Amino acid sequence: MALLEVNDLTTTFATDRGPVRACDGVSFEVERGEVLGIVGESGSGKTIAALSVMGLVPPPGVIERGSIRFDGEELRGAPEHRYRDLRGRQIGMVFQDAGRALDPVHTVRSHLREASGRQDDHGALLQRVGLDADLLDRYPYQLSGGQRQRVMIAIAIARDPALIIADEPTTAVDALTQVALLAELMRLRHELGAALILVSHNLGLISRVADRVAVMYLGQILELSPTAELVREPGHPYSAALLRATVPLDGDGTRLEGVGGNPDSLLDPPSGCVFSRRCPHADDSCAMSRPALVATAPGRHSACHHLDRFAEATRGVGYGS
Amino acid sequence: MTVAAEAIWLAPEPGLRASWRRFRRNHAALAGLVLVSVVLAAALFGPSVAPSDPLAGSLDARHQGISGDHWLGTDALGRDQLARILHGARVSVLTAVLLMSIILVIATVVGVAAGYAGGLLDATLMRVVDVVLAFPSFILALAITGVLGVGLDKVLIALGAVWWAGFARVIRGQVVAVRERGFIDAAEASGGTQLSIVRRHVLPHVAGVILVLGTLDVGSIILALAGLSFLGFGQQPPDPEWGRMLFDAKPYLQTQPLEMIVPGSAIAITVLGFNLLGDGLRDAFDPAGSAR
Amino acid sequence: MLGFAARRLAQSIPVLVGISVVTWALMAASPDDPARIYANQQAVGGRAEPAEIEQARELLGLTGSPVEQYVRWARRALSGDLGESFRTGQPVTTEIVDRLPATLELAGGAVLVTLLLGLPLGVIAAVWANRWPDHVARLVALIGGAVPAFWLSLLLIWLFAVEWRWLPSNGRGGLDHLVLPALALGAAAAGGYVRLLRASLLETLGEDYVVAARARGLRGSAVLVRHALRNALIPVVSQLGVTVGVLLSGSVVVEVIFSWPGIGRYAVDSIARRDLPALQGFVLFSALVYLGASLAVDLAYRWLDPRVGRRGAER
């Protein structure tokens, strides 16, 4: 049994201009100790997927369908107090912009007190994330971006959770700090033996640390594959496009291209395959019906009508092979 | 933008048509529009259809309750309350709206002059605004009335002398914001006269704000005017005015509560209508800021 | 904090000068000659001789150029001398200072009423946004904002003092005397706080730090109080200064209706008797209380929001 099993998760927002499906039939699993990357452009539903697992979908959003099982227990429809016991204790979350996710009127100490449930020893917690204990009485605005993000991580690991969800944990800081933060996060995860869901728009970053990657677009997972295989041989036209648009962290970046076309809007999703409007391989059948996410090889899943045709065209496009 | 907002962010539709659509879907705003229309119609046409003379009393008809002859009863001098409410609306509502329009014109002139010209003129005008706003508005208006002497005209002057300042400050802020967006510099570079730039580029941008602010604050002008009249400084007897009617009803509170319920309700309903309408206009023009 | 208070006071000096000029002008720029008003009131038979009027002019300091007059007036005002009341001949400062506690008591009671009504309703409206408790709270706020304090006073007197005889409606005394006028005065301002706190709380409830607080397993009530409400109160507090001005304004009619012996009723009596120095004293003290309130609010604001004015500590 996997630590987290998400099945057919569908999260909908009622807006002025009709319902918006931020997550549309999302399914994935996270094994104990595993690192799952979720990659997608903004608006792909990756953040809402993470918040859905936490039971923190902001209003007017509701989980319309699907199941979320943590450690075998169904969480969808679970009472708020059950969720409260899980949050922080079993599942820790790192938010994308600690400048916003830390309460401006509370000190670091006050945050850590809430997160750990302990009255003291907060200095040790700070030291675990590589910060000085004398930052305890600072307010968030008195910290640098990197320090704030480390405080965020300290909050997430304060009670040794079995799963950490990190939503764009390094986006708000500069490139150098990014690398250090990611290394810190991976070290701590390893120490705790915790599983990690790393949510990011940056496939290059995810591909460095994730065991498996889920590629999301307009609320749907288009590919779910082991990282090494996805990078070597993407199993979906969108994965391939993302890969081409990615600066390899250790590469020279000469092959950099855009995904092509403008991102579609959740308000007006294409019929059939959600990527059909931007896909170079799309034909009429793509706009007709939505391809299911099916196993294409051991451990690999893809949602594409023309996998064969596409596979011929893109063999060797990946890097790191 | 927060995580949640970014995930589902939708920009509000711009444009007048979208504003009107938002307004039309807002029940509270429509209720306000209806209330204001009814009250304005009553003030405009009411006196000509009023059942009787608002000044003619009869000692036989003093302190009467609701009846077929006097739908809202009579006052201590036997005058018909409905007639007095309808005639009083001219002062309490129409005059207040007119006063608000004049105040907005003054405030726009000052605000646009200060925001557009900048420099010494701006600094001077804004210091004057600071000083006027350093006093609680009603208290300064009351004091000016005290110096000028009682009478409706004096009260209107006093209210006007105080109320423009807050609007002028907001309008100036809007003009400065327009200026910073570079429209004006571009227009100046293409050689428009200052007056035409103000008319074509500045006023359209501040018109919505002026309309919303003015509507939102008509209620407080009505309350201030009625308050000063209640104290005996505004409309002088025997002419009807709602605040004064309340004052006249006060001695008979114990036995004739109807006499103070009628004018009080008239004031409250009118102010409610303008407040609803103002809220609705603000939400329609500025949906993002409507939370405030 | 002390340094800030001193700086803030220093910044108020231009406004204080402006306040003093306006106050002075109330008499000096009066369209009716104050000297004649005064002399007529003093004269037997109410009609003063020209000589008496000139004497009054001298006495009131209304001779010389406007600048000289203002400087003379301001110098005396700085030493606490605002002249004598036309009616009583007593120093205006003493008369105002005697009545100020009553007004401050009424305004304080009204602030309490405003907050006790406005804040809980605002929280209810935000927590149950767009459901029936919200609709009820907003309806109450709307009606509260439309009912004039002078009408509410009459309604309260009618119900609580006349019909049910629960509370006194006249004069100042114990707490029971304060209830009705404070309620009449404070209720109207509460509506604004319902709306302000609702909007502010809805905003903070959507902030990442609130989601993050829930994500670390905090109870809903702790998230609401410690994070959402704590931050939402910052704009609410900044509004309190304005409210003091509104309440001072409203206290005039309320004091008249309830025969409350404060400076508002004093002012109305002064206007009726054309007692210009008394009116000046009223206006000056009202402005000073208002200014003091906004200073206090600024201090409270800094205390509530650690970010304000402490940017120097940032690195």
Side-chain angles (χ1 to χ4, degrees), chain B residues 2-3 131 133-136 138-139 142-143 146-149 223 226-227 230-231 233 246 250 253-254 257 260-261 264-265 267-268 271-272 275-276 279 282 291-292, chain C residues 15 18-19 22 26 30-31 142 145-146 148 150-151 154-155 157-158 162 195 199 203 206-208 245 248-249 252-253 256-257 268 271 274 279 282-283 286-287 290:
Chain B
T2 63
V3 166
V131 169
L133 292 180
F135 296 89
F138 183 82
I139 282 178
L142 178 72
V147 170
L148 297 179
L223 289 179
F230 179 87
L231 292 173
F233 302 136
L246 266 178
K250 186 178 167 245
L253 195 58
Q254 305 201 8
M260 62 100 181
I261 289 175
S265 310
I267 297 173
V271 174
L272 181 68
N275 287 354
L276 285 172
D279 285 344
R282 183 188 48 193
R292 263 162 285 268
Chain C
V15 170
I19 288 172
V22 171
L26 284 177
S30 164
L142 261 173
F150 43 93
W151 187 41
L154 297 183
L155 288 174
I157 291 175
W158 172 46
V162 176
R195 302 152 61 108
E203 202 171 309
E207 290 285 350
D208 283 0
L248 282 174
S249 292
V252 176
V253 270
V256 168
I257 295 174
V268 172
I271 293 175
R274 313 226 66 183
L279 192 59
F282 164 69
V283 168
S286 298
Y290 190 30

Coordinates of all heavy atoms in Angstrom, one line a residue, chain B residues 2-3 131 133-136 138-139 142-143 146-149 223 226-227 230-231 233 246 250 253-254 257 260-261 264-265 267-268 271-272 275-276 279 282 291-292, chain C residues 15 18-19 22 26 30-31 142 145-146 148 150-151 154-155 157-158 162 195 199 203 206-208 245 248-249 252-253 256-257 268 271 274 279 282-283 286-287 290:
Chain B
T2 N -2.1 35.6 -3.7 CA -1.9 34.4 -2.9 C -2.0 33.1 -3.8 O -2.3 33.2 -4.9 CB -3.1 34.3 -1.9 OG1 -4.3 34.1 -2.6 CG2 -3.1 35.5 -1.0
V3 N -1.5 32.1 -3.2 CA -1.5 30.8 -3.9 C -2.9 30.5 -4.4 O -3.0 30.1 -5.6 CB -1.1 29.6 -2.9 CG1 -1.4 28.3 -3.5 CG2 0.3 29.8 -2.5
V131 N -6.3 71.2 7.0 CA -6.8 72.0 8.2 C -8.3 71.7 8.3 O -8.8 71.5 9.4 CB -6.5 73.4 8.0 CG1 -7.3 74.3 9.0 CG2 -5.0 73.7 8.2
L133 N -10.0 69.2 7.3 CA -10.3 67.8 7.8 C -9.8 67.6 9.2 O -10.0 66.5 9.8 CB -9.6 66.8 6.8 CG -10.2 66.8 5.4 CD1 -9.5 65.7 4.6 CD2 -11.7 66.4 5.5
A134 N -9.0 68.5 9.8 CA -8.6 68.4 11.2 C -9.7 68.5 12.2 O -9.6 68.2 13.3 CB -7.5 69.4 11.5
F135 N -10.9 69.1 11.7 CA -12.0 69.2 12.5 C -13.0 68.1 12.2 O -13.2 67.8 11.0 CB -12.7 70.6 12.3 CG -11.9 71.8 12.6 CD1 -11.1 72.3 11.7 CD2 -12.0 72.4 13.9 CE1 -10.3 73.4 12.0 CE2 -11.2 73.5 14.2 CZ -10.4 74.0 13.2
P136 N -13.8 67.6 13.2 CA -14.9 66.7 12.9 C -15.9 67.6 12.0 O -16.3 68.7 12.4 CB -15.5 66.4 14.2 CG -14.4 66.6 15.2 CD -13.5 67.7 14.7
F138 N -19.1 67.7 11.1 CA -20.3 68.3 11.6 C -20.1 69.4 12.6 O -20.8 70.4 12.6 CB -21.2 67.2 12.2 CG -22.5 67.6 12.7 CD1 -23.6 67.7 11.8 CD2 -22.7 67.9 14.0 CE1 -24.8 68.1 12.2 CE2 -24.0 68.3 14.4 CZ -25.0 68.4 13.5
I139 N -19.0 69.3 13.4 CA -18.7 70.3 14.4 C -18.3 71.6 13.7 O -18.7 72.7 14.1 CB -17.7 69.7 15.4 CG1 -18.4 68.8 16.3 CG2 -17.0 70.9 16.1 CD1 -17.5 68.1 17.3
L142 N -21.3 73.1 12.2 CA -22.1 73.7 13.3 C -21.6 75.0 13.7 O -22.3 76.0 13.9 CB -22.2 72.7 14.5 CG -23.0 73.1 15.7 CD1 -24.4 73.1 15.4 CD2 -22.6 72.3 16.9
A143 N -20.3 75.1 13.9 CA -19.7 76.3 14.3 C -19.8 77.5 13.3 O -20.1 78.6 13.6 CB -18.2 76.1 14.6
G146 N -23.1 78.7 13.5 CA -23.2 79.6 14.7 C -22.7 81.0 14.4 O -23.3 81.9 15.0
V147 N -21.7 81.1 13.6 CA -21.2 82.4 13.3 C -22.1 83.2 12.3 O -22.4 84.3 12.5 CB -19.8 82.3 12.8 CG1 -19.3 83.7 12.2 CG2 -18.8 81.8 13.9
L148 N -22.5 82.4 11.3 CA -23.3 83.0 10.2 C -24.7 83.4 10.7 O -25.4 84.3 10.2 CB -23.4 82.1 9.0 CG -22.1 81.8 8.3 CD1 -22.4 80.8 7.1 CD2 -21.5 83.1 7.8
G149 N -25.2 82.5 11.7 CA -26.6 82.7 12.1 C -27.5 81.7 11.5 O -27.1 81.0 10.6
L223 N -28.1 63.5 6.5 CA -28.1 63.3 8.0 C -27.6 64.6 8.7 O -28.2 65.1 9.6 CB -27.3 62.2 8.4 CG -27.8 60.8 8.1 CD1 -26.8 59.7 8.6 CD2 -29.2 60.6 8.8
A226 N -30.3 67.3 8.3 CA -31.5 67.1 9.2 C -31.0 67.3 10.6 O -31.8 67.8 11.4 CB -32.0 65.7 9.0
G227 N -29.8 67.0 10.9 CA -29.3 67.2 12.3 C -29.2 68.6 12.7 O -29.7 69.0 13.7
F230 N -32.7 69.8 13.1 CA -33.2 69.2 14.3 C -32.8 70.1 15.5 O -33.6 70.4 16.4 CB -32.7 67.8 14.6 CG -33.1 67.2 15.8 CD1 -34.3 66.5 15.9 CD2 -32.4 67.3 17.0 CE1 -34.8 65.9 17.1 CE2 -32.8 66.7 18.2 CZ -34.0 66.0 18.2
L231 N -31.6 70.6 15.4 CA -31.1 71.5 16.5 C -31.7 72.9 16.4 O -31.5 73.7 17.3 CB -29.5 71.6 16.4 CG -28.8 70.4 16.8 CD1 -27.3 70.5 16.5 CD2 -29.0 70.0 18.2
F233 N -31.3 75.0 13.7 CA -30.5 76.0 13.0 C -30.8 76.1 11.5 O -30.3 77.0 10.8 CB -29.0 75.7 13.2 CG -28.6 75.7 14.6 CD1 -27.8 74.7 15.1 CD2 -29.1 76.7 15.5 CE1 -27.4 74.8 16.5 CE2 -28.7 76.7 16.8 CZ -27.9 75.7 17.3
L246 N -38.9 66.2 13.4 CA -38.5 65.3 14.5 C -38.4 66.2 15.8 O -38.9 65.7 16.8 CB -37.2 64.7 14.2 CG -37.1 63.3 13.6 CD1 -35.7 62.9 13.3 CD2 -37.8 62.3 14.5
K250 N -40.7 65.8 19.4 CA -40.0 65.3 20.6 C -40.8 65.6 21.9 O -40.9 64.6 22.7 CB -38.6 66.0 20.7 CG -37.8 65.5 21.8 CD -36.4 66.2 21.9 CE -35.8 65.9 23.2 NZ -35.5 67.0 24.0
L253 N -43.4 62.8 22.6 CA -42.9 61.4 22.5 C -43.7 60.4 23.3 O -44.0 59.3 22.8 CB -41.5 61.5 23.1 CG -40.5 60.3 22.9 CD1 -40.3 60.2 21.4 CD2 -39.2 60.7 23.5
Q254 N -44.1 60.8 24.5 CA -44.8 59.8 25.3 C -46.2 59.4 24.8 O -46.5 58.3 24.8 CB -45.0 60.4 26.7 CG -43.8 60.9 27.3 CD -43.9 61.0 28.8 OE1 -44.8 60.6 29.4 NE2 -42.8 61.6 29.4
P257 N -46.0 58.9 19.7 CA -44.7 58.4 19.1 C -44.8 58.5 17.5 O -43.8 58.6 16.9 CB -44.5 57.0 19.6 CG -45.9 56.6 20.1 CD -46.6 57.8 20.6
M260 N -43.0 61.2 15.6 CA -41.5 61.2 15.4 C -41.1 59.9 14.5 O -40.1 59.9 13.9 CB -40.7 61.2 16.7 CG -40.9 60.1 17.6 SD -39.6 58.9 17.5 CE -40.2 57.6 18.7
I261 N -42.0 58.9 14.5 CA -41.7 57.7 13.7 C -41.8 58.1 12.2 O -40.9 57.6 11.4 CB -42.6 56.6 14.1 CG1 -42.2 56.1 15.5 CG2 -42.5 55.5 13.0 CD1 -43.2 55.0 16.0
G264 N -38.7 60.3 11.0 CA -37.5 59.5 11.3 C -37.4 58.4 10.2 O -36.3 58.2 9.6
S265 N -38.5 57.7 9.9 CA -38.5 56.7 8.9 C -38.1 57.3 7.6 O -37.4 56.7 6.8 CB -39.8 56.0 8.8 OG -40.3 55.6 10.1
I267 N -36.3 59.8 6.8 CA -34.8 60.1 6.7 C -34.1 58.8 6.6 O -33.3 58.6 5.7 CB -34.3 60.8 8.0 CG1 -35.0 62.2 8.2 CG2 -32.8 60.9 8.0 CD1 -34.6 62.9 9.5
A268 N -34.5 57.8 7.4 CA -33.7 56.5 7.4 C -33.9 55.8 6.0 O -32.9 55.3 5.5 CB -34.2 55.6 8.5
V271 N -31.8 57.7 3.4 CA -30.4 57.5 3.5 C -30.0 56.0 3.1 O -29.0 55.8 2.5 CB -29.9 57.8 5.0 CG1 -28.5 57.4 5.2 CG2 -30.1 59.2 5.3
L272 N -30.8 55.1 3.5 CA -30.6 53.7 3.2 C -30.6 53.5 1.7 O -29.7 52.8 1.1 CB -31.8 52.8 3.8 CG -31.7 51.3 3.5 CD1 -30.5 50.7 4.3 CD2 -33.0 50.6 3.9
N275 N -27.3 54.9 0.3 CA -26.2 54.1 0.7 C -26.1 52.8 -0.1 O -25.1 52.4 -0.6 CB -26.3 53.7 2.2 CG -25.9 54.9 3.1 OD1 -25.5 55.9 2.6 ND2 -26.1 54.7 4.4
L276 N -27.3 52.1 -0.3 CA -27.4 50.9 -1.2 C -26.9 51.2 -2.6 O -26.1 50.5 -3.2 CB -28.8 50.4 -1.2 CG -29.2 49.6 0.1 CD1 -30.7 49.3 0.0 CD2 -28.5 48.4 0.3
D279 N -23.1 51.9 -2.7 CA -22.4 50.6 -2.6 C -22.5 49.9 -3.9 O -21.4 49.3 -4.4 CB -23.0 49.7 -1.5 CG -22.7 50.2 -0.1 OD1 -21.8 51.0 0.0 OD2 -23.4 49.8 0.8
R282 N -20.3 51.4 -6.5 CA -18.8 51.2 -6.2 C -18.5 49.8 -6.6 O -17.5 49.5 -7.3 CB -18.5 51.4 -4.7 CG -17.1 51.2 -4.4 CD -16.8 51.2 -2.9 NE -17.8 50.3 -2.3 CZ -18.0 50.3 -1.0 NH1 -17.4 51.1 -0.2 NH2 -18.9 49.5 -0.5
A291 N -14.4 44.9 -1.9 CA -14.3 44.3 -0.5 C -14.1 45.4 0.5 O -14.5 45.3 1.6 CB -13.1 43.3 -0.5
R292 N -13.4 46.4 0.1 CA -13.1 47.5 1.0 C -14.3 48.3 1.3 O -14.8 49.1 0.9 CB -12.0 48.4 0.6 CG -10.7 48.0 1.2 CD -9.5 48.6 0.4 NE -9.3 47.9 -0.8 CZ -8.5 46.8 -1.0 NH1 -7.8 46.4 0.1 NH2 -8.4 46.2 -2.1
Chain C
V15 N -0.8 71.6 11.3 CA -2.2 71.5 11.4 C -2.7 72.2 12.6 O -3.8 72.9 12.6 CB -2.6 70.0 11.5 CG1 -4.0 69.8 11.8 CG2 -2.3 69.3 10.1
G18 N -3.1 75.7 11.8 CA -4.3 75.8 10.9 C -5.6 75.8 11.8 O -6.5 76.7 11.6
I19 N -5.6 74.9 12.7 CA -6.8 74.8 13.6 C -7.0 76.1 14.4 O -8.1 76.7 14.5 CB -6.6 73.6 14.6 CG1 -6.8 72.3 13.9 CG2 -7.6 73.7 15.8 CD1 -6.4 71.1 14.8
V22 N -8.4 78.9 12.1 CA -9.8 78.7 11.8 C -10.6 79.1 13.1 O -11.6 79.9 13.0 CB -10.1 77.3 11.4 CG1 -11.6 77.0 11.4 CG2 -9.5 77.0 10.1
L26 N -13.3 82.3 13.5 CA -14.8 82.2 13.8 C -15.3 83.5 14.4 O -16.4 83.9 14.2 CB -15.0 81.0 14.8 CG -14.9 79.7 14.1 CD1 -15.1 78.6 15.2 CD2 -16.0 79.5 13.0
S30 N -16.4 87.0 11.7 CA -17.9 86.9 11.9 C -18.5 88.1 11.1 O -18.1 89.2 11.2 CB -18.2 87.0 13.3 OG -19.6 87.3 13.5
P31 N -19.5 87.8 10.3 CA -20.2 88.8 9.5 C -20.9 89.8 10.4 O -21.0 91.0 10.0 CB -21.2 88.1 8.6 CG -21.4 86.7 9.2 CD -20.1 86.4 10.0
L142 N -26.5 47.9 7.6 CA -27.1 48.9 6.7 C -28.1 49.8 7.3 O -28.1 51.0 7.2 CB -27.8 48.1 5.6 CG -27.1 47.9 4.2 CD1 -27.8 47.0 3.3 CD2 -26.8 49.3 3.6
G145 N -26.5 52.2 9.7 CA -25.9 53.3 9.0 C -26.8 54.3 8.5 O -26.5 55.5 8.2
A146 N -28.1 54.0 8.4 CA -29.1 54.9 7.8 C -29.9 55.6 8.9 O -30.5 56.6 8.6 CB -30.0 54.1 6.9
P148 N -30.5 58.0 11.7 CA -29.8 59.1 12.4 C -29.8 59.0 13.9 O -30.7 58.5 14.5 CB -30.6 60.3 12.0 CG -31.9 59.9 11.4 CD -31.8 58.4 11.1
F150 N -30.1 61.1 16.1 CA -31.1 61.9 16.8 C -32.4 61.1 16.8 O -33.2 61.3 17.7 CB -31.2 63.3 16.4 CG -31.2 63.5 14.9 CD1 -32.4 63.5 14.1 CD2 -30.0 63.7 14.2 CE1 -32.3 63.7 12.8 CE2 -30.0 63.8 12.8 CZ -31.1 63.9 12.1
W151 N -32.7 60.4 15.7 CA -34.0 59.6 15.7 C -33.8 58.4 16.6 O -34.8 58.1 17.4 CB -34.3 59.2 14.3 CG -35.7 58.6 14.2 CD1 -36.8 58.9 14.8 CD2 -36.0 57.4 13.4 NE1 -37.8 58.1 14.5 CE2 -37.4 57.2 13.6 CE3 -35.3 56.6 12.5 CZ2 -38.1 56.1 13.0 CZ3 -36.0 55.5 11.9 CH2 -37.3 55.3 12.2
L154 N -34.5 59.3 20.1 CA -35.9 59.4 20.4 C -36.6 58.0 20.5 O -37.4 57.8 21.4 CB -36.7 60.2 19.3 CG -36.2 61.7 19.2 CD1 -37.0 62.4 18.2 CD2 -36.3 62.4 20.5
L155 N -36.2 57.1 19.6 CA -36.8 55.8 19.7 C -36.4 55.0 21.0 O -37.3 54.4 21.6 CB -36.3 54.9 18.5 CG -36.9 55.3 17.1 CD1 -36.2 54.5 16.0 CD2 -38.4 55.1 17.1
I157 N -35.5 56.4 23.8 CA -36.2 57.1 24.9 C -37.6 56.6 25.0 O -38.2 56.2 26.1 CB -36.2 58.6 24.8 CG1 -34.7 59.1 25.0 CG2 -37.1 59.3 25.8 CD1 -34.6 60.6 24.8
W158 N -38.3 56.6 23.8 CA -39.7 56.1 23.8 C -39.8 54.7 24.3 O -40.7 54.4 25.2 CB -40.2 56.2 22.3 CG -41.5 55.6 22.1 CD1 -42.7 55.8 22.9 CD2 -41.9 54.7 21.1 NE1 -43.7 55.1 22.4 CE2 -43.3 54.4 21.2 CE3 -41.2 54.1 20.0 CZ2 -44.0 53.6 20.4 CZ3 -41.9 53.3 19.1 CH2 -43.3 53.0 19.3
V162 N -39.8 55.5 28.3 CA -41.2 55.9 28.5 C -42.1 54.6 28.6 O -42.8 54.4 29.6 CB -41.7 56.7 27.3 CG1 -43.2 57.0 27.4 CG2 -40.9 58.0 27.2
R195 N -18.9 46.3 8.1 CA -18.4 46.2 6.8 C -16.9 46.1 6.7 O -16.4 45.3 5.9 CB -19.0 47.4 6.0 CG -20.5 47.4 6.0 CD -20.9 48.9 5.8 NE -20.5 49.4 4.6 CZ -21.3 49.6 3.6 NH1 -22.6 49.4 3.7 NH2 -20.9 50.1 2.4
A199 N -14.9 42.9 5.4 CA -14.0 42.9 4.2 C -12.6 42.6 4.5 O -11.9 41.8 3.8 CB -14.1 44.3 3.6
E203 N -10.4 39.2 3.5 CA -9.1 39.3 2.8 C -8.0 38.5 3.5 O -7.3 37.7 2.9 CB -8.7 40.8 2.7 CG -7.7 41.1 1.6 CD -7.5 42.6 1.4 OE1 -8.5 43.3 1.3 OE2 -6.4 43.0 1.4
G206 N -8.2 34.8 3.2 CA -7.7 34.2 1.9 C -6.2 34.3 1.8 O -5.6 33.9 0.8
E207 N -5.5 34.9 2.8 CA -4.1 35.0 2.7 C -3.3 33.7 2.9 O -3.8 32.8 3.5 CB -3.5 36.0 3.8 CG -4.0 37.4 3.6 CD -3.2 38.1 2.5 OE1 -2.2 37.6 2.0 OE2 -3.6 39.2 2.1
D208 N -2.2 33.6 2.2 CA -1.4 32.4 2.4 C -1.0 32.1 3.8 O -1.0 30.9 4.2 CB -0.1 32.5 1.6 CG -0.3 32.4 0.1 OD1 -1.5 32.2 -0.3 OD2 0.7 32.5 -0.7
G245 N -14.0 61.3 15.5 CA -14.6 62.5 15.0 C -16.1 62.4 14.7 O -16.9 63.3 15.0
L248 N -17.9 62.5 18.1 CA -17.9 63.9 18.6 C -19.0 64.7 17.9 O -19.7 65.5 18.5 CB -16.5 64.6 18.4 CG -15.4 64.2 19.4 CD1 -14.1 64.8 19.0 CD2 -15.8 64.6 20.8
S249 N -19.1 64.5 16.6 CA -20.1 65.2 15.8 C -21.5 64.8 16.3 O -22.3 65.7 16.6 CB -20.0 64.9 14.3 OG -18.8 65.5 13.8
V252 N -23.3 66.0 19.7 CA -24.0 67.3 19.9 C -25.5 67.1 20.0 O -26.1 67.5 21.0 CB -23.6 68.2 18.7 CG1 -24.4 69.5 18.9 CG2 -22.2 68.5 18.6
V253 N -26.1 66.4 19.0 CA -27.5 66.2 19.1 C -27.9 65.3 20.3 O -28.9 65.5 20.9 CB -28.1 65.6 17.8 CG1 -28.5 66.7 16.9 CG2 -27.2 64.6 17.1
V256 N -28.0 67.1 23.5 CA -29.1 68.0 23.6 C -30.4 67.1 23.9 O -31.1 67.5 24.9 CB -29.4 68.7 22.2 CG1 -30.7 69.4 22.2 CG2 -28.3 69.7 22.0
I257 N -30.5 66.0 23.3 CA -31.7 65.2 23.5 C -31.8 64.6 24.9 O -32.8 64.6 25.6 CB -31.8 64.1 22.5 CG1 -32.0 64.6 21.1 CG2 -33.0 63.1 22.8 CD1 -32.0 63.6 20.0
V268 N -24.4 74.3 21.5 CA -25.8 74.6 21.0 C -26.4 75.8 21.8 O -26.9 76.7 21.2 CB -26.7 73.4 21.0 CG1 -28.1 73.8 20.7 CG2 -26.2 72.3 20.1
I271 N -24.6 78.9 20.6 CA -25.0 79.4 19.3 C -26.3 80.2 19.4 O -26.5 81.3 18.9 CB -25.2 78.2 18.3 CG1 -23.8 77.6 18.0 CG2 -25.8 78.7 17.0 CD1 -23.9 76.4 17.1
R274 N -25.5 83.4 20.7 CA -24.4 84.1 19.9 C -23.2 84.3 20.8 O -22.5 85.4 20.8 CB -24.9 85.4 19.3 CG -26.2 85.3 18.6 CD -26.2 86.0 17.3 NE -25.3 85.3 16.4 CZ -25.0 85.8 15.2 NH1 -25.6 86.9 14.7 NH2 -24.2 85.1 14.4
L279 N -18.2 79.3 21.6 CA -18.2 78.5 20.4 C -16.8 78.2 20.0 O -16.5 77.1 19.6 CB -19.0 79.2 19.3 CG -19.4 78.4 18.1 CD1 -20.2 77.2 18.4 CD2 -20.1 79.3 17.1
F282 N -15.4 75.5 22.1 CA -15.9 74.2 21.7 C -15.2 73.6 20.5 O -14.8 72.5 20.5 CB -17.4 74.4 21.5 CG -18.1 73.2 20.7 CD1 -18.2 72.0 21.3 CD2 -18.5 73.4 19.4 CE1 -18.8 70.9 20.6 CE2 -19.0 72.4 18.7 CZ -19.2 71.1 19.3
V283 N -15.1 74.5 19.5 CA -14.5 74.0 18.2 C -13.0 73.6 18.5 O -12.5 72.6 18.0 CB -14.6 75.1 17.2 CG1 -13.7 74.8 16.0 CG2 -16.0 75.3 16.7
S286 N -12.8 70.4 20.5 CA -13.2 69.3 19.7 C -12.1 68.8 18.8 O -11.7 67.7 18.6 CB -14.4 69.6 18.9 OG -15.5 69.9 19.7
A287 N -11.5 69.9 18.1 CA -10.4 69.6 17.2 C -9.2 68.9 17.9 O -8.5 68.0 17.4 CB -9.9 70.8 16.4
Y290 N -10.0 65.4 18.8 CA -9.9 64.6 17.5 C -8.4 64.3 17.1 O -8.1 63.2 16.8 CB -10.6 65.4 16.4 CG -10.8 64.7 15.1 CD1 -11.0 63.4 15.0 CD2 -10.9 65.5 13.9 CE1 -11.3 62.8 13.8 CE2 -11.1 64.9 12.7 CZ -11.3 63.5 12.7 OH -11.6 62.9 11.5

